[in-house]
């Protein structure tokens, strides 16, 4: 079943194309003046030097929307105003209310790799990793729900020169103590101490350098210590993921070290393809189209002067693996915006090498920073990296206090459950409801507010609908035969409900989750207006039944939409 908006847009687009002879975007949107409006005839008239009203009238005639609309009007200088018929609204919303998928069809499945979270072993996760984890989890949920084959890849930073210093520090403090520090999540303490010694002692530096060589040469004793660092860190990260209720599992770690054996072959192939160039002793690729400010070609360094491979080489090996072995056709990289150029260059080199060729394509799902109240990148009071777990703990504590205040009658278990859903939900929603390209301010008071575009507001809207059914002692009727749509507030709600598939499909392309969040917020405010104007439990007969179906459907769309964002919608709050 096509959604209402898609249906209308297609019809109108067809009419525009027939009249203009070329495809025209009907610029079709919701409107104050009718249900939907298109102003595309104005622009087209300018291009064709035609009278816009005449043109609009011809398009309207061509579109023959009589089966869907009660009125199709040309207004003002040439706007096309559509008012959908109540019967069409009623029959479409009835169909959706019977549908477990709420009108959203499954798609032609594709294998999608989502590269997200990707913290660094023996180093605290920072808010950038938090954003990546939250956005990546939403991407995974949405794409899986649409029927795609999703492969989660947690590109853990578990290799490279810092491990020389980390292993030496581990030997200094002793294995048991090191394992303890890491497993309780004192990654910052461990890393900072190692770094301090490295910066302060030539002897320690020398030991660290020798250790890196041992590690790279596969010395078994060194590898064992390295494994210990990585394993303990992974276990700690798993506790953070559990706290966040994201779908990342132990088996989704595909750390940088996993590509070690593939690095030399990657270089060999680049050389064979004639793509390698020497630049001051380093092996580089200069992908087409990348220049520095002075206009000189930019290198992607794939082998350093000292012979070592780096971050870029690993990413090239990862692209190759994802396309060739995992058979992915869509690669999504949920990584902060500062790495845009790195990733674009990796994609370009992979394309030049033929590893990334249609239908396979890669996209950087970039995001901005998380700021503190001072407008600067979020830091702890002492000025260091903020501990993610501390942030989440605080969200949970505040949510628990809030719920205890709002609803003291809830039993302890339910209260704890609701506090979890609200606390974690608020953190996730604050992130997902802002345009990911922008920075956002991490503000507990705002994200936990019951007013405005927040998780608690939406969760509360959902729980309130559930309470209508509880109060009435009713179970929602989902046979979909009863719906009647007449009142303006009712029509507005139905049109909103029918808009869910279009938003979901759009977000599956753009991964701009703030559009889904905005949709859910709009749906709840539309519902509130409906509930104020249209009595539900006090209505009678078919009107009451119809309105109950609309209430239930609103709750289902809210719960499903929140679930796609990784947020739980409790039954009561
Ligand atoms: N570990 C990296 C960091 O903390 C992020 C890795 C992103 N993924 C990738 N394939 N490069 O910055």
């Amino acid at each position: 079943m096509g959604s209402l908006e898609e249906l209308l847009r297609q019809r109108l687009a067809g009419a525009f194309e027939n009249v203009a002879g070329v495809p025209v975007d009907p610029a079709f949107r919701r409107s104050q003046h009718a249900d939907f409006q298109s102003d595309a005839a104005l622009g087209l008239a300018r291009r064709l030097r035609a009278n816009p009203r005449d043109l609009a009238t011809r398009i309207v005639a061509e579109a023959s929307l009589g089966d869907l609309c009660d009125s199709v009007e040309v207004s003002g200088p040439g706007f096309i105003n559509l008012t959908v018929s109540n019967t069409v609204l009623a029959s479409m919303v009835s169909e959706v209310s019977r549908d477990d998928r709420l009108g959203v069809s499954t798609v032609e499945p594709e294998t999608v790799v989502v590269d997200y979270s990707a913290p660094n072993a023996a180093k605290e996760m920072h808010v950038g990793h938090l954003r990546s984890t939250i956005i990546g989890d939403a991407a995974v949920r949405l794409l899986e729900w649409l029927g795609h084959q999703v492969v989660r890849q947690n590109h853990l930073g578990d290799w490279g020169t810092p491990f020389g210093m980390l292993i030496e520090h581990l030997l200094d403090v002793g294995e048991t103590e090191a394992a303890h520090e890491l497993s309780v999540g004192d990654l910052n303490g461990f890393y900072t101490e190692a770094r301090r010694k490295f910066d302060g002692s030539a002897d320690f530096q020398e030991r660290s350098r020798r250790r890196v060589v041992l590690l790279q040469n596969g010395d078994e004793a060194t590898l064992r210590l390295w494994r210990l660092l990585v394993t303990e860190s992974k276990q700690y990260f798993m506790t953070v993921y559990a706290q966040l209720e994201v779908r990342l599992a132990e088996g989704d770690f595909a750390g940088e070290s996993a590509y070690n054996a593939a690095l030399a072959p990657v270089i060999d192939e680049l050389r064979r393809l004639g793509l390698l160039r020497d630049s001051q002793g380093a092996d580089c690729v200069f992908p087409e189209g990348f220049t520095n400010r002075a206009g000189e070609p930019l290198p992607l360094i794939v082998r350093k002067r000292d012979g070592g491979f780096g971050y870029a080489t690993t990413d090239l090996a990862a692209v190759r693996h994802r396309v060739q072995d995992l058979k992915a056709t869509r690669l999504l990289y949920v990584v902060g915006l500062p790495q845009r150029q790195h990733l674009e260059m990796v994609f370009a080199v992979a394309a030049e090498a033929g590893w990334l060729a249609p239908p396979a394509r890669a996209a950087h799902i970039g995001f901005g920073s998380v700021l503190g109240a001072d407008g600067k990148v979020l830091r702890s009071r002492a000025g260091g990296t903020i501990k993610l777990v501390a942030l989440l703990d605080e969200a949970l504590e505040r949510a628990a206090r809030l719920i205890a205040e709002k609803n003291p009658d809830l039993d302890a278990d339910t209260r704890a459950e609701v506090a979890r859903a609200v606390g974690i939900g608020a953190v996730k929603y604050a992130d997902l409801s802002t345009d990911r390209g922008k920075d956002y301010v991490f503000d507990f008071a705002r994200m936990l507010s019951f007013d405005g575009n927040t998780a608690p507001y939406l969760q509360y809207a959902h729980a309130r609908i559930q309470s209508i059914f509880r109060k009435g002692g009713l179970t929602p009727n989902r046979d979909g035969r009863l719906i009647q749509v007449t009142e303006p507030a009712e029509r507005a709600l139905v049109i909103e409900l029918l808009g869910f598939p279009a938003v979901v499909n759009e977000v599956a392309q753009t991964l701009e989750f703030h559009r889904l969040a905005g949709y859910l917020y709009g749906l709840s405010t539309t519902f509130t207006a409906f509930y104020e104007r249209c009595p539900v439990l006090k209505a009678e007969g078919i009107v009451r039944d119809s309105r109950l179906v609309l209430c239930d459907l609103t709750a289902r769309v809210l719960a499903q939409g929140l679930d796609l964002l990784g947020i739980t919608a409790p039954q009561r709050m």
Side-chain angles (χ1 to χ4, degrees):
M1 182 189 64
S3 78
L4 174 64
E5 275 181 65
E6 275 159 29
L7 209 61
L8 289 169
R9 180 175 288 117
Q10 271 167 22
R11 287 269 197 101
L12 215 50
F16 266 103
E17 181 158 1
N18 286 346
V19 169
V22 285
V24 177
D25 174 5
F28 170 77
R29 53 181 74 89
R30 296 291 303 282
S31 152
Q32 310 280 353
H33 307 291
D35 293 336
F36 298 97
Q37 184 175 72
S38 157
D39 62 4
L42 301 176
L44 184 62
R46 239 174 286 130
R47 269 200 286 153
L48 300 180
R49 299 176 194 286
N51 175 310
R53 280 194 68 102
D54 289 350
L55 195 62
T57 311
R58 270 166 63 205
I59 289 160
V60 161
E62 179 74 29
S64 53
L65 293 160
D67 57 333
L68 298 173
C69 296
D70 268 353
S71 114
V72 181
E73 268 176 12
V74 175
S75 80
F79 296 113
I80 299 172
N81 288 343
L82 308 184
T83 305
V84 182
S85 92
N86 288 349
T87 346
V88 167
L89 290 181
S91 89
M92 287 190 131
V93 81
S94 302
E95 197 174 329
V96 171
S97 76
R98 251 180 279 137
D99 179 7
D100 284 339
R101 297 193 50 90
L102 307 165
V104 180
S105 331
T106 48
V107 294
E108 186 75 45
E110 150 165 64
T111 301
V112 187
V113 160
V114 184
D115 178 318
Y116 68 117
S117 195
N120 302 309
K123 220 174 162 181
E124 183 60 68
M125 283 173 93
H126 54 67
V127 280
H129 298 121
L130 174 72
R131 285 209 81 175
S132 175
T133 307
I134 291 173
I135 298 169
D137 187 57
V140 168
R141 285 167 189 268
L142 175 62
L143 295 170
E144 277 181 349
W145 191 58
L146 286 174
H148 291 298
Q149 190 67 43
V150 180
V151 186
R152 300 175 293 250
Q153 294 281 281
N154 193 347
H155 197 80
L156 179 74
D158 64 354
W159 198 254
T161 44
F163 283 91
M165 138 193 127
L166 291 164
I167 291 169
E168 286 305 317
H169 177 56
L170 177 144
L171 288 170
D172 287 356
V173 296
E175 289 180 30
T176 324
E177 172 56 23
H180 173 73
E181 283 178 29
L182 294 172
S183 66
V184 300
D186 190 12
L187 278 61
N188 266 349
F190 189 85
Y191 190 92
T192 320
E193 193 49 27
R195 181 89 238 175
R196 196 188 57 76
K197 286 198 282 183
F198 187 87
D199 292 337
S201 145
D203 173 51
F204 187 81
Q205 253 179 48
E206 191 41 41
R207 276 166 58 195
S208 301
R209 290 221 176 86
R210 277 200 304 267
R211 191 53 76 178
V212 175
V213 175
L214 284 171
L215 182 65
Q216 280 165 348
N217 292 340
D219 171 59
E220 197 36 59
T222 304
L223 279 174
R224 192 184 63 79
L225 299 170
W226 165 77
R227 248 178 253 124
L228 196 145
L229 288 173
V230 175
T231 309
E232 291 299 335
S233 308
K234 278 187 188 173
Q235 262 161 29
Y236 168 67
F237 296 141
M238 287 312 297
T239 64
V240 180
Y241 299 148
Q243 175 91 302
L244 273 171
E245 288 172 29
V246 292
R247 290 192 182 167
L248 272 171
E250 192 96 38
D252 300 327
F253 282 111
E256 294 178 10
S257 66
Y259 300 99
N260 283 352
L263 301 180
V266 159
I267 306 274
D268 291 345
E269 207 168 326
L270 290 172
R271 178 164 296 121
R272 194 175 54 76
L273 292 165
L275 291 169
L276 276 197
R277 277 203 270 152
D278 177 89
S279 174
Q280 295 162 11
D283 285 327
C284 301
V285 184
F286 292 82
E288 196 83 39
F290 291 87
T291 47
N292 64 12
R293 287 217 188 96
E296 295 150 355
L298 270 178
L300 188 73
I301 302 174
V302 291
R303 184 177 225 148
K304 292 179 269 184
R305 278 171 75 173
D306 65 6
F309 308 106
Y311 189 52
T313 327
T314 306
D315 261 326
L316 286 172
V319 170
R320 216 176 56 151
H321 169 66
R322 289 165 184 185
V323 177
Q324 291 178 1
D325 308 329
L326 301 177
K327 309 270 179 255
T329 47
R330 191 177 182 198
L331 312 184
L332 301 175
Y333 289 74
V334 190
V335 184
L337 283 171
Q339 293 191 41
R340 161 129 294 168
Q341 182 170 285
H342 159 76
L343 289 171
E344 296 293 345
M345 288 179 81
V346 165
F347 300 160
V349 171
E352 286 179 16
W355 301 326
L356 188 63
R361 66 243 184 250
H364 175 208
I365 308 304
F367 52 81
S369 313
V370 185
L371 309 178
D374 55 1
K376 299 210 187 98
V377 173
L378 193 68
R379 302 225 173 272
S380 71
R381 278 192 206 97
T385 1
I386 204 133
K387 236 183 122 165
L388 213 62
V389 178
L391 219 58
L392 297 176
D393 283 345
E394 181 164 354
L396 287 175
E397 264 163 47
R398 285 177 182 249
R401 255 179 286 151
L402 206 66
I403 298 303
E405 243 169 63
K406 288 249 168 202
N407 197 342
D409 300 336
L410 286 181
D411 62 90
D413 281 353
T414 315
R415 203 193 301 162
E417 220 174 274
V418 173
R420 274 205 72 71
V422 170
I424 298 298
V427 171
K428 290 184 177 178
Y429 194 84
D431 195 312
L432 295 168
S433 59
T434 30
D435 182 341
R436 61 177 162 77
K438 302 209 172 103
D439 299 344
Y440 76 93
V441 174
F442 195 94
D443 177 350
F444 281 119
R446 209 180 64 196
M447 65 176 72
L448 283 163
S449 163
F450 275 70
D451 291 315
N453 189 10
T454 66
Y457 174 83
L458 294 177
Q459 288 167 320
Y460 187 69
H462 171 267
R464 209 177 49 160
I465 299 176
Q466 304 300 340
S467 80
I468 299 171
F469 288 92
R470 268 199 307 275
K471 252 191 262 162
L474 301 163
T475 26
N477 181 332
R478 287 177 189 170
D479 69 9
R481 275 168 301 157
L482 297 165
I483 300 182
Q484 196 181 67
V485 185
T486 49
E487 292 299 313
E490 228 164 27
R491 299 184 82 259
L493 178 60
V494 168
I495 290 173
E496 204 63 34
L497 287 166
L498 294 175
F500 186 53
V503 177
V504 166
N505 290 323
E506 185 207 317
V507 177
Q509 292 310 314
T510 62
L511 285 317
E512 290 178 348
F513 288 97
H514 69 288
R515 299 196 188 278
L516 177 55
Y519 166 79
L520 296 174
Y521 181 56
L523 174 62
S524 2
T525 54
T526 311
F527 179 81
T528 305
F530 156 82
Y531 199 64
E532 274 164 13
R533 276 164 225 159
C534 302
V536 176
L537 290 176
K538 291 206 178 87
E540 280 168 8
I542 184 169
V543 175
R544 183 178 194 259
D545 291 341
S546 296
R547 289 180 181 167
L548 280 168
V549 174
L550 295 183
C551 291
D552 175 50
L553 186 56
T554 303
R556 287 160 68 199
V557 171
L558 285 175
Q560 180 64 55
L562 286 171
D563 184 62
L564 294 176
L565 299 177
I567 299 170
T568 312
Q571 292 298 310
R572 56 180 85 217
M573 266 174 80

